[in-house]
Amino acid sequence: MSKPFDLCLLDGVQMPLSQARISPLDRSFLFGDGVYEVIPVYDGRLFRFQAHAERLARSLAALRIPDPYSRTQWREQLDQLVRANGGGDQYVYLQVSRGHEEGRNHIPPQGLVPTVFVYCSPWPQTPAEVFTEGLKCITTADTRWARCDIKSVALLANILLRQQAAEAGASEAILLRDGKLTEGSASTVHVISGGQLLTPPNSHRLLPGTTRGVVIEIAESLGIEHRSEDITEAQLRSADEIWLASATREVQPVTRLDDRNVGTGLPGPLWQRVHARYQTLKRES
Ligand code: PDD
């Protein structure tokens, strides 16, 4: 990951990232008590802002943290920061914590003021071989909590799982719970079987991915049949294609799963079509 751009936003004030300071009693530091979003920016424009803003509102509501800004205020502040950091292709990271307090109370005190932090980073270019050779992934048990639909900054389980993948020389850990596919440690997972696109249904067990929405929309526009349904471990292992999707990965092909080829062992034909359309769409939106 590249170094973030110089300018950030802290509680609505633009400042150099090197000068941004928060209290050590901030609840995101003490408890991981906060939520976040990662939004892609192409040609200086936030991609799918609305979907990210809606998910942020859902995450905040689930934690009963008041949304510090209206949607228009969010948009204005993010647009300004993106411009101040030079526009072009980048991504925005934003985090809202419950705020800081005077002690360390498990029960959140009333009236805390949320801390809002936003920074921007240069776009993480996908290495060319991901498109020509695809990714290697492992499967592992989903050891996370029961509210994976909340985009919480408390990512310890995800980090351990991703570390496990990295130690196995893999790009992502694809997670299984009760014999069914949930998602990746930091991505959603899609499966192609018999020409159909299958995606696990949204539930408390996985994050409602914004890129997942784009992938489904593209599949529909290309006439690829799509079903949202439970995917068993056996279906995952016998898939013709497997894709990972996230704001920063876009849509990427998995060609090796637990040291076995996925399909032919090369990026599949449906991935090629969806990826090509994604590249056009992100510049048009
Ligand atoms: N993560 N599931 C998990 C657990 C994730 O962390 C992410 C993305 C996704 C995909 O969501 P989206 O398509 O909206 O990016 C699914 C971001 C990119 C991150 O943590 O950096």
Side-chain angles (χ1 to χ4, degrees):
M1 283 281 163
S2 356
K3 216 165 124 282
F5 287 117
D6 286 344
L7 291 173
C8 74
L9 264 177
L10 185 59
D11 298 329
V13 181
Q14 234 180 63
M15 64 179 76
L17 183 57
S18 57
Q19 284 171 26
R21 299 282 178 272
I22 62 162
S23 164
L25 293 179
D26 194 284
R27 290 181 62 91
S28 61
F29 185 64
L30 295 175
F31 296 113
D33 190 355
V35 299
Y36 76 107
E37 282 294 325
V38 176
I39 313 178
V41 173
Y42 301 113
D43 303 318
R45 291 189 302 274
L46 292 157
F47 185 61
R48 300 296 158 126
F49 167 77
Q50 197 63 19
H52 285 279
E54 276 164 21
R55 188 173 61 189
L56 175 67
R58 273 190 69 241
S59 297
L60 287 168
L63 268 57
R64 287 180 271 164
I65 297 176
D67 196 331
Y69 303 124
S70 70
R71 203 142 299 172
T72 315
Q73 287 170 324
W74 271 117
R75 178 92 213 206
E76 279 170 10
Q77 295 200 59
L78 299 186
D79 280 343
Q80 269 173 25
L81 188 68
V82 164
R83 264 199 307 278
N85 280 310
D89 289 0
Q90 47 176 281
Y91 72 83
V92 169
Y93 173 90
L94 72 87
Q95 172 169 340
V96 181
S97 92
R98 199 181 300 275
H100 72 270
E101 52 173 287
E102 296 307 316
R104 181 178 171 275
N105 293 294
H106 281 79
I107 301 171
Q110 293 296 307
L112 296 183
V113 180
T115 308
V116 184
F117 172 59
V118 190
Y119 77 83
C120 302
S121 252
W123 181 251
Q125 284 301 338
T126 304
E129 59 270 20
V130 172
F131 302 131
T132 52
E133 292 165 24
L135 301 170
K136 184 179 160 184
C137 292
I138 58 164
T139 56
T140 180
D142 192 340
T143 50
R144 302 172 303 160
W145 70 330
R147 288 304 307 273
C148 297
D149 55 317
I150 301 171
K151 201 160 172 63
S152 154
V153 295
L155 286 174
L156 194 49
N158 304 60
I159 285 167
L160 291 176
L161 292 163
R162 186 65 181 279
Q163 181 66 18
Q164 191 184 331
E167 283 164 6
S171 301
E172 178 61 302
I174 294 183
L175 310 177
L176 294 160
R177 195 180 285 223
D178 300 335
K180 289 182 192 127
L181 167 68
T182 53
E183 58 180 341
S185 75
S187 55
T188 49
V189 180
H190 301 263
V191 163
I192 297 289
S193 181
Q196 286 193 335
L197 171 63
L198 308 179
T199 308
N202 281 332
S203 72
H204 285 180
R205 295 185 160 196
L206 56 117
L207 192 74
T210 57
T211 321
R212 171 194 201 265
V214 182
V215 167
I216 292 170
E217 197 182 297
I218 292 177
E220 281 169 0
S221 75
L222 294 175
I224 300 168
E225 214 179 302
H226 168 257
R227 291 209 316 266
S228 181
E229 63 181 30
D230 283 342
I231 298 169
T232 63
E233 179 171 353
Q235 280 176 300
L236 175 72
R237 295 201 186 279
S238 61
D240 301 320
E241 300 184 30
I242 299 174
W243 308 340
L244 299 184
S246 84
T248 45
R249 285 185 187 272
E250 301 178 340
V251 51
Q252 299 182 348
V254 178
T255 49
R256 300 274 293 169
L257 187 66
D258 293 334
D259 287 326
R260 293 222 182 108
N261 277 351
V262 175
T264 61
L266 285 171
L270 291 187
W271 170 79
Q272 306 274 3
R273 290 176 65 200
V274 169
H275 168 68
R277 179 72 194 116
Y278 200 109
Q279 297 315 300
T280 324
L281 184 72
K282 73 184 195 186
R283 301 280 165 211
E284 285 169 351
S285 301

